[in-house]
Amino acid sequence: MKWRKWFPWMGLVLVVIVVATYAFYQYWMGPNPAELDREQLTEEEYTRALELIDTIKEEDPFGRRQNVTRRINPQETTGLDFDDPKKLNKGNLVEAMHLMTHQKILATEKAGAIPMTHKNLKEVREYLELLHDQNKIKSDDYLQLAGIIERWEKAMFDEIDKEQDVLLEEMYAAIGFSNGLSTRAEEELFILNNFGEEYVYTMDLEPMPEEENEQQDDMITETEE
């Protein structure tokens, strides 16, 4: 019968489809070594990044988590302007906080990143208090953002994926919502490729000094009253 002549070819086509599908997942959905910013990485960082990619692929062989490997226009500081009253607004604060979440969450789309350091936490806290002092923010918004910052100051990041989505809603965003928390391998890979090895310590960030947290708690309580 004629169909028997086509049988070997059908099998070959099936194999090609399976291989192509697997390659698609590996290249587009999973971490991709080609997306590493080779010029920005030292030899040690690049070697470590490749090890992390192998770990991530073992943990998620079909790339369902859609970890983004590429460098996404990082900056080391918040870039917040405290001196220009015309630029003092809640939107600038929300944007900076949103970029600080990127190292700790997964999302199909990310643009920009700021490391989660004590220095940057101090800046977003001070900016929030300045907004409050200058009557540039509503009481409800102040309490909401203060609560998020307070958790970060205490190194509590177990809900940062949900907090990132709250920040995106404040920005009226249509994309970029989280797919959950990063694994340790995913977070370290993101840090290496965007900030460098010197920021890997932020994976296990220590809580801010207790006296500073107590001062901020007092400010929030006064606002609630």
Side-chain angles (χ1 to χ4, degrees):
M1 297 177 66
K2 290 184 178 180
W3 65 269
R4 290 181 179 176
K5 296 181 180 180
W6 292 101
F7 186 78
W9 294 103
M10 292 172 64
L12 179 60
V13 169
L14 180 60
V15 170
V16 170
I17 291 174
V18 170
V19 172
T21 301
Y22 180 76
F24 172 83
Y25 272 104
Q26 289 292 304
Y27 188 84
W28 293 106
M29 305 301 284
N32 178 13
E35 289 184 325
L36 294 173
D37 193 334
R38 191 67 184 87
E39 294 182 0
Q40 298 291 332
L41 295 169
T42 65
E43 285 296 329
E44 292 79 8
E45 290 172 339
Y46 183 67
T47 299
R48 178 57 179 163
L50 294 178
E51 292 174 354
L52 290 167
I53 286 176
D54 288 341
T55 299
I56 294 167
K57 286 185 175 180
E58 289 175 3
E59 296 172 344
D60 181 28
F62 292 105
R64 294 190 181 94
R65 291 171 62 77
Q66 301 180 12
N67 182 61
V68 178
T69 319
R70 67 181 180 276
R71 186 175 168 89
I72 54 171
N73 301 319
Q75 59 193 68
E76 292 190 1
T77 64
T78 65
L80 292 169
D81 189 342
F82 290 77
D83 301 322
D84 189 343
K86 294 181 180 179
K87 295 182 179 179
L88 186 64
N89 61 73
K90 185 187 74 171
N92 291 335
L93 174 63
V94 170
E95 171 66 9
M97 291 174 63
H98 160 241
L99 295 183
M100 289 174 67
T101 69
H102 277 175
Q103 75 178 66
K104 293 186 173 291
I105 64 111
L106 287 181
T108 305
E109 296 293 335
K110 292 182 186 178
I114 297 173
M116 185 69 72
T117 65
H118 282 178
K119 181 178 182 296
N120 289 333
L121 278 171
K122 188 170 184 288
E123 282 195 6
V124 295
R125 168 63 77 176
E126 291 177 349
Y127 195 88
L128 175 65
E129 300 305 331
L130 182 59
L131 288 173
H132 184 252
D133 292 343
Q134 297 292 325
N135 296 314
K136 296 276 190 175
I137 189 170
K138 296 178 181 178
S139 179
D140 289 347
D141 291 337
Y142 170 79
L143 292 174
Q144 180 184 52
L145 296 177
I148 293 174
I149 294 173
E150 181 182 0
R151 284 177 56 80
W152 297 356
E153 289 169 337
K154 294 178 179 178
M156 298 170 62
F157 302 111
D158 55 313
E159 296 184 2
I160 197 169
D161 55 330
K162 300 180 182 67
E163 292 163 346
Q164 191 255 10
D165 288 350
V166 168
L167 296 170
L168 281 178
E169 288 171 357
E170 288 289 327
M171 297 164 61
Y172 301 101
I175 60 173
F177 290 89
S178 75
N179 295 328
L181 298 171
S182 297
T183 64
R184 287 189 64 83
E186 289 164 344
E187 182 176 357
E188 184 178 351
L189 178 60
F190 183 88
I191 292 171
L192 283 176
N193 202 36
N194 284 279
F195 308 133
E197 191 274 337
E198 64 268 30
Y199 287 98
V200 169
Y201 79 93
T202 61
M203 292 175 60
D204 299 300
L205 193 69
E206 294 291 329
M208 295 281 278
E210 191 63 31
E211 60 272 15
E212 292 188 22
N213 284 333
E214 290 176 356
Q215 291 175 4
Q216 304 307 335
D217 289 343
D218 291 341
M219 293 179 184
I220 294 173
T221 300
E222 290 174 4
T223 301
E224 290 174 336
E225 293 175 350

